Amino acid sequence: MAASVHLPPLPQTSTPKPAASSLPRWNALLADLSRAGRHAQALSLLPPLLAASDGLTPDGFTLPPAAKSCGALRDSSAGRQLHAMAAKLGLDDDPFVANSLVSMYGRCGRLDDADKVFGTMPNRNLVSWNALMSAFSDAGMPRRGVELFQECLVVGVAPDEATLVTVLPMCTALGWLETSRAVHGVAVKSGLVGEPRVTNVLVDMYAKCGEVADAERAFLHSTSERSVVTWNVMLAGYARNGEADAAFGLLQEMQMEQGLAPDEITMLSVLPVCSGPSELAKLRELHSFLIRRGLHLTGDMVPNALIAAYAKCGCVPHADRVFAGIRSKTISSWNAMIGAHAQNGEAGMAIQVFLGMVDSGIKPDWFTTGSLLLACASLKHLLYGKAIHGFILRNGLERDSFTINSLLSAYIQCGKESCAKLLFDAVEEKDEVSWNTMIAGYSHNGLPEQSLQMFRQMQSTGGGHWPPLISATGALMACSQLSAVRLGKEMHCVALKADYCEDSILCSSIIDMYAKCGFVDEARALFDRLEKRDAAPWTVMITGYAVNGRGKEAVALYEEMRREGMEADEFTYLGLLMACSHAGMVEEGLHFFREMSRHPRLGARLEHYACLVGMLSRAGRFGEAMVLMEEMPEEADAKVLSSVLSACHIHGEAELGREVAERLLELEPDKAEHYVLASNMYAGSGQWDEMRKVRRRLKDAGVYKEPGCSWIDVAGKVYSFVAGGNRLLSPEVRRMWCHLEERIRRIGYVPDTTAVLHDLEEGDKVGALRWHSEKQAMALGLLMTAAPAKVRVFKNIRMCKDCHNAAKLISKATGREIVVRDKRRFHHFRDGLCSCADYW
């Protein structure tokens, strides 16, 4: 007796029925409809089939196409009814039926049911394994899919082409290069490596893993004739890895030598390689080629890709012309143009295009608002950002997680952390990106305590699981800013246990943390242990040497980097300039600046000019520094001016210092450190009236001056000290400093009263110097720790000359190494010398 099922009713359009009550004819019609993609009509055949007067009973050829249609429609309810029917009819043991049920459940996202069917199959074949692997692949569970492939090999089932094209993308998604190579070996042994589809996934896999040479070998060694698809995959691989010249060369070879005509996918594969101004000429050639072939008229995908490419090359007017030439603009076209303006910092134009989009009747989506918020964030345009937030609320777009995260990022980048926190707290289901945005945002905005607090909160709500990779990187950045090496070491342990240390960015963050906490030798040891090193770890290690005053080591590491064939980027050169600046290596710094300026793909940015101007000023070469400031592509910002003003204080250049101070205070009148720097410059040159004027301006501006303080971590407890706070000192620390002062006087210490920037009597100046905060911290450190432990002191402002001299002599008298991190750099005192060589 036929089982009854509640399947979709017959649609209004009539479905053809077999002329005679013949089950094979019903099966043939059902299979034809399923193959043609007419799945609802295919399923509508089942009720009349089951209700046929001559009692037809479905067989092993009826259910598989029906199951396929259930999977295509994602109709798990009808699929479960089919499964029940198969069980009642005793067909669930049929491999053909069981395989179709596994595939159907997989397509419907019911992996547990698919796994159960697979587990109860008495006779599994290769199709069974492929179906379940494909189900896990489609569900975004590649790890389980690869495990199934390994089990398949263990039980002796030989893979086929379908197996390999399923498992290789899963290995790629996991980043398992060595496993992928093993699968490649299986393909070679199975004689499947020459199959076109296998060649395509091999090329794609190696390209996505960054192994371009292996991708090329897989492409060149393909035994069958290469189709356009294979060429497109290789082109996309070059584009993904930024190999512009190779991509253009292959495109030319494809046409000239092989006679293959590029199609729309070819252009979509190669256009992303045009990612900078150096590729603009090639991009215009491609554009001309597209027009000649008429490929720009095939739809909106190619024009949209052209707009994106021109935007990356910084040529927005060309993107505008492409956009204007699109006859029927879709939402993707509008989004591409909005994104082009946003990426190039043209927030106003992005909003103008957005308004035109709304006027044309097209409703914005999450990508639209995300691009607009990116533009506002890059320009720190809070007013526009709030306007877009209002639009999002009015149109009910706030439920989209991407939009919420874009809003969080915009508020963070505009310096409105409180607004971001309010929005974050209102989100009921916070995703990983939301947490990462807040953790990294606090760190970037100089709020490391809040960043670590947010990280701990995420951990407490995560059920004790390992933190996401990006969150761990943000927390390490906060540890670097706080010099919290104890917590940084804990994060290092977490990274080791979570197997994160294969990631180059995280390893670079750990190296950066150790270096910026003053543990530069530990940072170098970790760097040396890395098996694979891209530009990131080289750069952070060079920068680590720079902040620790080891300029020669930084330059030597850069030379080693070049010998290994590694290409330096803007950040590498910034680290080198910083190293040369801190070490007084002016000629070397000028050499590196010229080298970077001659590089075809690199250009000096404001940060590089600021470093070079500071280096020249510190060396007393003010004329060259002023000329360089005039040649800068942008107006000098506060960092540039403050570095010049600091050098004027050191060298007694009062007249130039006056001019620079006025510009600096006019540029940022709400920053107390600028007033302090100007005041110190006047005091250092004995212009006490001018100093008092600046201090009055500071008071009138209502700006809070952060007091100078130092702190030291001893056995996990932090002790803080402020200048002149000797009355709060314990008797032990007071006696320790008096004892140290007596010892260093015997070996030549004389208080340097020029470091006192107040109009006081000489005796009062000596008294003021005695209780500077770093001296109190050093005394406590020496009192509470024993050799060979280093005494590590942290200070929130620049270390004065007198404390610097005292620290050198203390290190000599006690035989202990003292490390002081002030606002600008590290000072490593050992045997009466400092790592800065008295140049800071």
Side-chain angles (χ1 to χ4, degrees):
M1 180 177 178
S4 62
V5 294
H6 303 288
L7 290 165
L10 192 68
Q12 296 297 321
T13 57
S14 61
T15 304
K17 307 285 192 309
S21 296
S22 168
L23 185 60
R25 292 186 178 183
W26 282 93
N27 290 347
L29 181 58
L30 183 60
D32 287 343
L33 290 170
S34 183
R35 276 195 299 269
R38 298 162 66 181
H39 299 293
Q41 288 180 288
L43 292 181
S44 70
L45 284 177
L46 286 178
L49 166 63
L50 298 173
S53 58
D54 47 359
L56 293 177
T57 302
D59 62 9
F61 295 99
T62 311
L63 299 184
K68 177 184 176 182
S69 291
C70 290
L73 295 171
R74 308 293 191 269
D75 191 344
S76 60
S77 176
R80 290 174 69 85
Q81 293 177 59
L82 278 175
H83 190 178
M85 182 191 300
K88 289 180 180 179
L89 295 174
L91 296 173
D92 53 339
D93 287 343
D94 184 309
F96 190 33
V97 174
N99 291 341
S100 68
L101 290 172
V102 170
S103 180
M104 178 272 296
Y105 279 128
R107 296 286 298 276
C108 292
R110 302 183 68 94
L111 297 181
D112 289 341
D113 289 332
D115 215 355
K116 285 178 184 176
V117 174
F118 179 81
T120 57
M121 290 176 64
N123 299 307
R124 298 177 195 146
N125 55 24
L126 180 58
V127 177
S128 315
W129 290 94
N130 288 348
L132 191 59
M133 277 187 269
S134 180
F136 280 107
S137 177
D138 292 341
M141 299 174 64
R143 186 182 294 267
R144 176 60 184 138
V146 175
E147 289 172 356
L148 275 171
F149 173 70
Q150 293 168 336
E151 293 171 19
C152 173
L153 295 179
V154 168
V155 298
V157 177
D160 64 359
E161 182 183 350
T163 314
L164 297 177
V165 299
T166 300
V167 76
L168 277 167
M170 291 192 286
C171 295
T172 306
L174 292 165
W176 289 359
L177 179 59
E178 294 308 314
T179 305
S180 300
R181 292 190 193 279
V183 177
H184 189 175
V186 171
V188 173
K189 291 179 182 178
S190 304
L192 297 170
V193 77
E195 295 295 328
R197 288 204 302 161
V198 175
T199 297
N200 294 344
V201 292
L202 281 171
V203 172
D204 183 65
M205 176 272 293
Y206 281 123
K208 286 179 178 175
C209 290
E211 301 293 328
V212 179
D214 288 331
E216 289 172 336
R217 278 191 287 271
F219 175 77
L220 294 171
H221 292 168
S222 56
T223 55
S224 58
E225 186 175 347
R226 301 186 198 103
S227 65
V228 174
V229 175
T230 307
W231 289 86
N232 289 348
V233 172
M234 190 67 243
L235 285 167
Y238 280 138
R240 174 182 291 274
N241 289 277
E243 299 282 350
D245 292 338
F248 291 127
L250 189 67
L251 180 62
Q252 188 175 23
E253 180 186 344
M254 175 184 177
Q255 301 171 75
M256 303 295 291
E257 298 182 18
Q258 303 298 323
L260 290 173
D263 58 12
E264 183 181 9
I265 303 301
T266 310
M267 293 299 104
L268 293 173
S269 299
V270 78
L271 278 170
V273 83
C274 302
S275 57
S278 59
E279 278 86 43
L280 180 58
K282 290 289 186 183
L283 175 58
R284 296 175 73 173
E285 285 183 32
L286 281 176
H287 192 178
S288 300
F289 174 81
L290 287 168
I291 294 172
R292 290 196 303 271
R293 291 296 182 99
L295 292 172
H296 66 302
L297 302 173
T298 56
D300 70 334
M301 292 180 66
V302 171
N304 295 346
L306 271 171
I307 292 171
Y310 275 124
K312 289 177 184 176
C313 292
C315 195
V316 182
H318 281 65
D320 273 322
R321 283 195 285 273
V322 174
F323 178 74
I326 300 175
R327 296 172 185 171
S328 180
K329 298 178 178 68
T330 64
I331 187 170
S332 299
S333 308
W334 288 98
N335 284 344
M337 199 62 241
I338 291 170
H341 287 297
Q343 290 168 30
N344 286 275
E346 299 177 359
M349 287 302 300
I351 290 175
Q352 289 300 317
V353 177
F354 165 71
L355 294 174
M357 172 184 177
V358 175
D359 289 342
S360 69
I362 294 180
K363 186 177 180 180
D365 62 3
W366 58 269
F367 191 92
T368 315
T369 54
S371 296
L372 289 169
L373 288 168
L374 169 65
C376 297
S378 63
L379 292 180
K380 295 180 170 44
H381 209 311
L382 182 62
L383 184 61
Y384 280 168
K386 286 184 173 181
I388 296 163
H389 191 177
F391 176 86
I392 289 168
L393 293 173
R394 289 193 301 274
N395 289 271
L397 298 173
E398 74 279 3
R399 290 181 292 274
D400 179 73
S401 62
F402 179 85
T403 301
I404 289 295
N405 294 332
S406 298
L407 276 169
L408 289 174
S409 180
Y411 280 124
I412 285 281
Q413 291 187 58
C414 289
K416 292 294 180 180
E417 299 87 3
S418 57
C419 295
K421 185 66 165 61
L422 286 172
L423 182 62
F424 177 81
D425 290 340
V427 177
E428 294 182 4
E429 295 185 6
K430 301 173 179 66
D431 61 14
E432 188 177 305
V433 179
S434 307
W435 288 102
N436 293 341
T437 301
M438 295 300 295
I439 292 167
Y442 278 133
S443 291
H444 282 297
N445 286 6
L447 299 169
E449 294 93 345
Q450 289 89 327
S451 177
L452 291 176
Q453 182 181 358
M454 185 67 66
F455 179 77
R456 294 189 186 100
Q457 184 182 343
M458 181 194 71
Q459 283 290 87
S460 65
T461 60
H465 297 297
W466 300 123
L469 190 63
I470 299 176
S471 303
T473 304
L476 282 164
M477 187 190 305
C479 293
S480 300
Q481 293 170 340
L482 288 171
S483 292
V485 72
R486 187 182 299 273
L487 181 57
K489 287 181 175 180
E490 291 177 13
M491 290 298 305
H492 189 181
C493 292
V494 168
L496 288 169
K497 291 177 181 178
D499 198 24
Y500 285 165
C501 287
E502 294 296 319
D503 183 79
S504 174
I505 299 300
L506 185 81
C507 281
S508 300
S509 298
I510 296 172
I511 294 169
D512 183 65
M513 180 273 298
Y514 279 120
K516 289 182 178 175
C517 289
F519 290 77
V520 68
D521 293 328
E522 287 81 352
R524 181 57 194 262
L526 177 58
F527 172 82
D528 289 338
R529 288 199 298 271
L530 294 180
E531 294 182 4
K532 290 187 177 181
R533 294 186 291 227
D534 57 17
W538 288 95
T539 298
V540 296
M541 193 64 242
I542 288 170
T543 306
Y545 277 136
V547 297
N548 283 275
R550 293 165 67 166
K552 291 181 179 178
E553 287 95 329
V555 173
L557 187 62
Y558 169 72
E559 291 170 352
E560 182 184 343
M561 174 184 179
R562 296 303 300 269
R563 284 195 300 271
E564 292 199 10
M566 193 65 60
E567 189 76 18
D569 59 15
E570 292 97 333
F571 300 104
T572 312
Y573 281 107
L574 185 61
L576 284 168
L577 290 173
M578 191 188 305
C580 294
S581 178
H582 285 332
M585 300 162 60
V586 180
E587 295 306 321
E588 291 88 341
L590 290 169
H591 164 73
F592 289 125
F593 185 81
R594 288 191 290 267
E595 182 180 291
M596 180 184 62
S597 301
R598 290 194 298 267
H599 196 287
R601 295 190 181 183
L602 303 179
R605 298 190 301 204
L606 189 59
E607 296 92 334
H608 301 95
Y609 280 101
C611 205
L612 194 62
V613 168
M615 179 174 62
L616 290 169
S617 301
R618 177 62 186 84
R621 296 163 65 165
F622 291 101
E624 294 173 72
M626 294 301 104
V627 170
L628 190 64
M629 284 177 64
E630 294 298 322
E631 294 176 353
M632 285 167 53
E634 301 177 52
E635 192 71 24
D637 65 358
K639 288 183 180 178
V640 178
L641 295 173
S642 61
S643 66
V644 175
L645 185 56
S646 178
C648 289
H649 167 49
I650 293 170
H651 292 281
E653 284 283 341
E655 289 306 314
L656 178 61
R658 183 193 305 275
E659 178 187 336
V660 174
E662 287 303 319
R663 288 178 62 184
L664 182 59
L665 295 178
E666 183 180 339
L667 185 64
E668 289 187 347
D670 57 341
K671 296 292 179 68
E673 57 263 34
H674 301 334
Y675 292 92
V676 173
L677 195 56
S679 170
N680 291 347
M681 188 270 298
Y682 287 126
S685 59
Q687 300 184 51
W688 302 109
D689 291 338
E690 295 298 326
M691 181 203 76
R692 294 185 187 98
K693 288 179 183 178
V694 172
R695 290 183 179 268
R696 277 196 298 272
R697 287 176 66 179
L698 172 65
K699 186 177 180 180
D700 294 343
V703 180
Y704 171 73
K705 175 185 174 295
E706 184 180 14
C709 66
S710 299
W711 62 97
I712 185 171
D713 183 338
V714 179
K717 185 176 180 181
V718 177
Y719 299 84
S720 299
F721 303 90
V722 294
N726 56 308
R727 285 175 296 179
L728 302 176
L729 282 177
S730 67
E732 293 85 357
V733 175
R734 185 191 296 270
R735 283 196 297 271
M736 184 65 181
W737 173 249
C738 292
H739 171 67
L740 289 171
E741 188 177 36
E742 183 180 344
R743 289 182 66 181
I744 62 178
R745 280 183 182 273
R746 293 195 203 116
I747 57 175
Y749 171 66
V750 177
D752 185 351
T753 56
T754 63
V756 179
L757 302 175
H758 298 278
D759 192 8
L760 301 173
E761 295 295 329
E762 194 69 14
D764 293 332
K765 289 183 178 181
V766 172
L769 288 173
R770 174 171 290 147
W771 302 111
H772 274 192
S773 61
E774 55 264 58
K775 290 176 180 174
Q776 301 174 47
M778 284 188 280
L780 178 76
L782 290 166
L783 179 68
M784 298 186 68
T785 63
K790 298 177 183 179
V791 176
R792 298 180 181 275
V793 175
F794 305 94
K795 186 174 175 64
N796 68 334
I797 60 175
R798 186 177 182 271
M799 194 178 192
C800 79
K801 289 189 294 182
D802 180 69
C803 291
H804 191 270
N805 292 335
K808 288 193 298 182
L809 293 171
I810 290 171
S811 70
K812 183 176 182 179
T814 62
R816 299 281 296 277
E817 183 173 349
I818 300 170
V819 181
V820 178
R821 175 183 174 175
D822 67 10
K823 189 173 183 179
R824 297 187 61 185
R825 61 180 295 166
F826 277 95
H827 298 267
H828 295 259
F829 299 97
R830 185 188 295 116
D831 299 327
L833 300 174
C834 179
S835 58
C836 73
D838 298 339
Y839 189 90
W840 90 103

